[in-house]
Amino acid sequence: MQVDAIYAICGFNDIPSRKAMGFHLMVLDHDGNHRPWSIVVVRWGKKVLGYLNRCPHNGVALDWERNEFLDPDGVRLMCGKHGSTFELGTGLCVDGPCKGRTLTPIALTVLDGDICVVGVRLVEDGASRNE
């Protein structure tokens, strides 16, 4: 398997505009070991953005309930544990304990109507897809 492979994780229309969805995937590291890889994908109109689902403050998952990632106004990502808020486009924390730090971005592309991750090697078994 090539590192630059493209993996479809969901259909573009599976995530409504102005919403976010979490995915629990498995990646293959350089030694061939499987490692959990939790990400959040945000769709904003025709744009998709992805980040590791891990708050830079203390490493907890951002969602406080399944697929609940956005602040009450629906315009920023928010850590459900400590309330830190992050700009959607940059992942920069603009308020909370990790202010000034950023979420780790995930490379995404839309191909043939699917949202795809690029730049990683995923374990390809349908059971690891979407929460």
PDB file of all heavy atoms in Angstrom, residues 11-25:
ATOM      1  N   GLY A  11     -19.625   9.638   1.865  1.00  0.00           N
ATOM      2  CA  GLY A  11     -20.108  10.448   0.765  1.00  0.00           C
ATOM      3  C   GLY A  11     -20.140  11.913   1.157  1.00  0.00           C
ATOM      4  O   GLY A  11     -20.359  12.246   2.329  1.00  0.00           O
ATOM      5  N   PHE A  12     -19.929  12.792   0.197  1.00  0.00           N
ATOM      6  CA  PHE A  12     -19.946  14.233   0.458  1.00  0.00           C
ATOM      7  C   PHE A  12     -21.268  14.642   1.097  1.00  0.00           C
ATOM      8  O   PHE A  12     -21.299  15.412   2.050  1.00  0.00           O
ATOM      9  CB  PHE A  12     -19.718  14.995  -0.853  1.00  0.00           C
ATOM     10  CG  PHE A  12     -19.716  16.483  -0.696  1.00  0.00           C
ATOM     11  CD1 PHE A  12     -18.614  17.141  -0.166  1.00  0.00           C
ATOM     12  CD2 PHE A  12     -20.813  17.234  -1.077  1.00  0.00           C
ATOM     13  CE1 PHE A  12     -18.604  18.513  -0.014  1.00  0.00           C
ATOM     14  CE2 PHE A  12     -20.817  18.614  -0.932  1.00  0.00           C
ATOM     15  CZ  PHE A  12     -19.710  19.258  -0.409  1.00  0.00           C
ATOM     16  N   ASN A  13     -22.364  14.101   0.611  1.00  0.00           N
ATOM     17  CA  ASN A  13     -23.685  14.469   1.131  1.00  0.00           C
ATOM     18  C   ASN A  13     -24.051  13.764   2.427  1.00  0.00           C
ATOM     19  O   ASN A  13     -25.107  14.036   3.003  1.00  0.00           O
ATOM     20  CB  ASN A  13     -24.753  14.220   0.065  1.00  0.00           C
ATOM     21  CG  ASN A  13     -24.617  15.186  -1.094  1.00  0.00           C
ATOM     22  OD1 ASN A  13     -24.316  16.362  -0.901  1.00  0.00           O
ATOM     23  ND2 ASN A  13     -24.792  14.683  -2.303  1.00  0.00           N
ATOM     24  N   ASP A  14     -23.186  12.874   2.920  1.00  0.00           N
ATOM     25  CA  ASP A  14     -23.427  12.229   4.210  1.00  0.00           C
ATOM     26  C   ASP A  14     -23.259  13.203   5.377  1.00  0.00           C
ATOM     27  O   ASP A  14     -23.768  12.956   6.471  1.00  0.00           O
ATOM     28  CB  ASP A  14     -22.487  11.038   4.418  1.00  0.00           C
ATOM     29  CG  ASP A  14     -22.803   9.873   3.497  1.00  0.00           C
ATOM     30  OD1 ASP A  14     -23.913   9.847   2.917  1.00  0.00           O
ATOM     31  OD2 ASP A  14     -21.937   8.989   3.355  1.00  0.00           O
ATOM     32  N   ILE A  15     -22.529  14.282   5.133  1.00  0.00           N
ATOM     33  CA  ILE A  15     -22.356  15.319   6.155  1.00  0.00           C
ATOM     34  C   ILE A  15     -23.081  16.563   5.660  1.00  0.00           C
ATOM     35  O   ILE A  15     -22.689  17.147   4.646  1.00  0.00           O
ATOM     36  CB  ILE A  15     -20.868  15.645   6.409  1.00  0.00           C
ATOM     37  CG1 ILE A  15     -20.097  14.385   6.801  1.00  0.00           C
ATOM     38  CG2 ILE A  15     -20.735  16.729   7.489  1.00  0.00           C
ATOM     39  CD1 ILE A  15     -18.602  14.595   6.968  1.00  0.00           C
ATOM     40  N   PRO A  16     -24.148  16.981   6.340  1.00  0.00           N
ATOM     41  CA  PRO A  16     -24.844  18.203   5.913  1.00  0.00           C
ATOM     42  C   PRO A  16     -23.929  19.424   6.022  1.00  0.00           C
ATOM     43  O   PRO A  16     -23.014  19.455   6.846  1.00  0.00           O
ATOM     44  CB  PRO A  16     -26.009  18.320   6.906  1.00  0.00           C
ATOM     45  CG  PRO A  16     -26.155  16.958   7.510  1.00  0.00           C
ATOM     46  CD  PRO A  16     -24.776  16.357   7.496  1.00  0.00           C
ATOM     47  N   SER A  17     -24.190  20.427   5.196  1.00  0.00           N
ATOM     48  CA  SER A  17     -23.417  21.665   5.274  1.00  0.00           C
ATOM     49  C   SER A  17     -23.553  22.278   6.668  1.00  0.00           C
ATOM     50  O   SER A  17     -24.617  22.221   7.286  1.00  0.00           O
ATOM     51  CB  SER A  17     -23.914  22.663   4.228  1.00  0.00           C
ATOM     52  OG  SER A  17     -23.142  23.843   4.278  1.00  0.00           O
ATOM     53  N   ARG A  18     -22.445  22.813   7.146  1.00  0.00           N
ATOM     54  CA  ARG A  18     -22.348  23.455   8.459  1.00  0.00           C
ATOM     55  C   ARG A  18     -22.474  22.463   9.614  1.00  0.00           C
ATOM     56  O   ARG A  18     -22.901  22.815  10.707  1.00  0.00           O
ATOM     57  CB  ARG A  18     -23.353  24.591   8.597  1.00  0.00           C
ATOM     58  CG  ARG A  18     -23.130  25.676   7.548  1.00  0.00           C
ATOM     59  CD  ARG A  18     -24.123  26.784   7.670  1.00  0.00           C
ATOM     60  NE  ARG A  18     -23.833  27.542   8.883  1.00  0.00           N
ATOM     61  CZ  ARG A  18     -23.764  28.854   8.958  1.00  0.00           C
ATOM     62  NH1 ARG A  18     -23.969  29.573   7.902  1.00  0.00           N
ATOM     63  NH2 ARG A  18     -23.500  29.444  10.095  1.00  0.00           N
ATOM     64  N   LYS A  19     -22.071  21.217   9.355  1.00  0.00           N
ATOM     65  CA  LYS A  19     -22.080  20.171  10.373  1.00  0.00           C
ATOM     66  C   LYS A  19     -20.732  19.464  10.383  1.00  0.00           C
ATOM     67  O   LYS A  19     -19.931  19.579   9.463  1.00  0.00           O
ATOM     68  CB  LYS A  19     -23.185  19.143  10.099  1.00  0.00           C
ATOM     69  CG  LYS A  19     -24.581  19.703  10.164  1.00  0.00           C
ATOM     70  CD  LYS A  19     -24.954  20.111  11.570  1.00  0.00           C
ATOM     71  CE  LYS A  19     -26.376  20.649  11.632  1.00  0.00           C
ATOM     72  NZ  LYS A  19     -26.735  21.142  12.928  1.00  0.00           N
ATOM     73  N   ALA A  20     -20.494  18.693  11.442  1.00  0.00           N
ATOM     74  CA  ALA A  20     -19.249  17.937  11.590  1.00  0.00           C
ATOM     75  C   ALA A  20     -19.587  16.498  11.940  1.00  0.00           C
ATOM     76  O   ALA A  20     -20.622  16.221  12.553  1.00  0.00           O
ATOM     77  CB  ALA A  20     -18.386  18.558  12.691  1.00  0.00           C
ATOM     78  N   MET A  21     -18.682  15.595  11.543  1.00  0.00           N
ATOM     79  CA  MET A  21     -18.877  14.175  11.832  1.00  0.00           C
ATOM     80  C   MET A  21     -17.526  13.572  12.225  1.00  0.00           C
ATOM     81  O   MET A  21     -16.498  13.915  11.647  1.00  0.00           O
ATOM     82  CB  MET A  21     -19.436  13.464  10.601  1.00  0.00           C
ATOM     83  CG  MET A  21     -19.791  12.010  10.843  1.00  0.00           C
ATOM     84  SD  MET A  21     -20.519  11.223   9.377  1.00  0.00           S
ATOM     85  CE  MET A  21     -22.133  11.976   9.385  1.00  0.00           C
ATOM     86  N   GLY A  22     -17.574  12.676  13.205  1.00  0.00           N
ATOM     87  CA  GLY A  22     -16.354  12.009  13.652  1.00  0.00           C
ATOM     88  C   GLY A  22     -16.194  10.653  13.002  1.00  0.00           C
ATOM     89  O   GLY A  22     -17.176   9.980  12.678  1.00  0.00           O
ATOM     90  N   PHE A  23     -14.939  10.253  12.827  1.00  0.00           N
ATOM     91  CA  PHE A  23     -14.620   8.948  12.261  1.00  0.00           C
ATOM     92  C   PHE A  23     -13.523   8.308  13.090  1.00  0.00           C
ATOM     93  O   PHE A  23     -12.526   8.961  13.416  1.00  0.00           O
ATOM     94  CB  PHE A  23     -14.144   9.084  10.804  1.00  0.00           C
ATOM     95  CG  PHE A  23     -15.211   9.594   9.892  1.00  0.00           C
ATOM     96  CD1 PHE A  23     -15.427  10.951   9.740  1.00  0.00           C
ATOM     97  CD2 PHE A  23     -16.027   8.707   9.209  1.00  0.00           C
ATOM     98  CE1 PHE A  23     -16.435  11.421   8.921  1.00  0.00           C
ATOM     99  CE2 PHE A  23     -17.040   9.170   8.379  1.00  0.00           C
ATOM    100  CZ  PHE A  23     -17.231  10.528   8.236  1.00  0.00           C
ATOM    101  N   HIS A  24     -13.723   7.051  13.439  1.00  0.00           N
ATOM    102  CA  HIS A  24     -12.709   6.279  14.136  1.00  0.00           C
ATOM    103  C   HIS A  24     -12.119   5.319  13.118  1.00  0.00           C
ATOM    104  O   HIS A  24     -12.767   4.344  12.725  1.00  0.00           O
ATOM    105  CB  HIS A  24     -13.301   5.520  15.332  1.00  0.00           C
ATOM    106  CG  HIS A  24     -13.811   6.426  16.395  1.00  0.00           C
ATOM    107  ND1 HIS A  24     -12.982   7.209  17.160  1.00  0.00           N
ATOM    108  CD2 HIS A  24     -15.071   6.701  16.805  1.00  0.00           C
ATOM    109  CE1 HIS A  24     -13.703   7.912  18.005  1.00  0.00           C
ATOM    110  NE2 HIS A  24     -14.972   7.631  17.803  1.00  0.00           N
ATOM    111  N   LEU A  25     -10.901   5.614  12.684  1.00  0.00           N
ATOM    112  CA  LEU A  25     -10.225   4.832  11.657  1.00  0.00           C
ATOM    113  C   LEU A  25      -8.994   4.169  12.258  1.00  0.00           C
ATOM    114  O   LEU A  25      -8.639   4.434  13.409  1.00  0.00           O
ATOM    115  CB  LEU A  25      -9.828   5.754  10.494  1.00  0.00           C
ATOM    116  CG  LEU A  25     -10.978   6.586   9.896  1.00  0.00           C
ATOM    117  CD1 LEU A  25     -10.435   7.654   8.967  1.00  0.00           C
ATOM    118  CD2 LEU A  25     -11.960   5.687   9.182  1.00  0.00           C
TER     119      LEU A  25
END
